[in-house]
Amino acid sequence: SWSPNGERFASGGRDSKVAIWHGKKFERIGNILQGHKDRINEISWEPLHRNLQCNRLATASKDKTVKVWKLTGQGGTRDMQFSLSGHTGGVQCVKWGGMGYIYTCSQDRSLMVWDADQGTMVRRLDGHAHWVNYMALNTDIVLRTGAFDHTDQRFKTPQEAQDYARQRYEKVIQDCKGERLVSCSDD
């Protein structure tokens, strides 16, 4: 999963570990993120318009948790900020939304909405009769791409890039009247 500023990417595997990689040199940065007890199913970064440093990410695991990490310092030091636990089945998907929420779905047939700053559950959504395999936000593309779009703009400062990412996000929110979530299941 690429960070929204394109400077690094994260990879997770069946070994429950997450590595952060340099986006141009393709070399690992710092130590491996360890904290999960089962395979990593998905990784999502905090959006550029909310975090200029693009230094926070969430990792979803079959161990029924989502870990929120903060990368600090030039050496790639990592701190687990909190663990989101509440699902009773493996977490299949995680999305870091643009309004300060983290969305998760699980084999326990539920979706959960979390406060991304506090790590507390805001809402539980039930209704599927089988595992919730995936979910998508109407804002996914602008959240993942940040300031990068088909216009290939160049920015003089990171702040300009963040401002442009915010403008792109706010346009989608205005056009769609909010951030919307859709989920899919085998039911």
Side-chain angles (χ1 to χ4, degrees), residues 45-75:
W45 292 82
E46 185 173 20
L48 175 61
H49 76 272
R50 294 191 56 83
N51 179 353
L52 183 60
Q53 292 79 33
C54 294
N55 63 348
R56 293 202 319 153
L57 66 154
T59 56
S61 173
K62 189 176 178 187
D63 71 4
K64 306 174 190 172
T65 69
V66 171
K67 309 285 189 207
V68 175
W69 307 88
K70 185 172 185 177
L71 312 178
T72 57
Q74 296 298 321

Side-chain angles (χ1 to χ4, degrees), residues 150-187:
H150 67 284
T151 62
D152 197 30
Q153 292 191 44
R154 303 288 180 212
F155 303 98
K156 293 178 183 169
T157 67
Q159 184 65 49
E160 284 182 10
Q162 184 182 39
D163 292 344
Y164 187 65
R166 183 176 296 108
Q167 289 171 15
R168 292 181 69 216
Y169 176 77
E170 288 173 354
K171 178 161 179 18
V172 172
I173 293 299
Q174 180 182 358
D175 291 350
C176 298
K177 297 181 179 35
E179 190 165 67
R180 298 179 188 236
L181 173 73
V182 63
S183 60
C184 66
S185 171
D186 289 333
D187 55 2

Side-chain angles (χ1 to χ4, degrees), residues 3 8 21 35 51 56 62 84 99-100 120-121 140 174:
S3 65
R8 55 187 164 238
W21 303 87
N51 179 353
R56 293 202 319 153
K62 189 176 178 187
L84 308 177
M99 300 179 83
T120 55
M121 186 175 53
D140 272 347
Q174 180 182 358

Side-chain angles (χ1 to χ4, degrees), residues 19-140:
I20 308 298
W21 303 87
H22 190 282
K24 292 183 180 165
K25 298 177 186 175
F26 298 101
E27 297 172 349
R28 198 177 84 215
I29 304 169
N31 297 325
I32 298 288
L33 302 176
Q34 296 185 60
H36 285 291
K37 294 178 174 53
D38 208 332
R39 75 171 183 243
I40 306 301
N41 288 330
E42 190 166 27
I43 300 168
S44 185
W45 292 82
E46 185 173 20
L48 175 61
H49 76 272
R50 294 191 56 83
N51 179 353
L52 183 60
Q53 292 79 33
C54 294
N55 63 348
R56 293 202 319 153
L57 66 154
T59 56
S61 173
K62 189 176 178 187
D63 71 4
K64 306 174 190 172
T65 69
V66 171
K67 309 285 189 207
V68 175
W69 307 88
K70 185 172 185 177
L71 312 178
T72 57
Q74 296 298 321
T77 305
R78 291 107 168 87
D79 294 319
M80 183 174 50
Q81 292 190 300
F82 40 79
S83 181
L84 308 177
S85 57
H87 285 293
T88 58
V91 182
Q92 298 292 93
C93 182
V94 60
K95 299 283 184 184
W96 201 311
M99 300 179 83
Y101 297 117
I102 296 173
Y103 303 90
T104 60
C105 68
S106 169
Q107 293 174 341
D108 67 7
R109 302 182 312 227
S110 75
L111 295 96
M112 292 187 179
V113 182
W114 307 85
D115 180 297
D117 295 321
Q118 302 300 315
T120 55
M121 186 175 53
V122 175
R123 180 173 223 174
R124 179 184 170 105
L125 306 168
D126 292 301
H128 283 288
H130 201 272
W131 296 356
V132 185
N133 298 314
Y134 194 75
M135 61 188 167
L137 294 167
N138 63 326
T139 55
D140 272 347

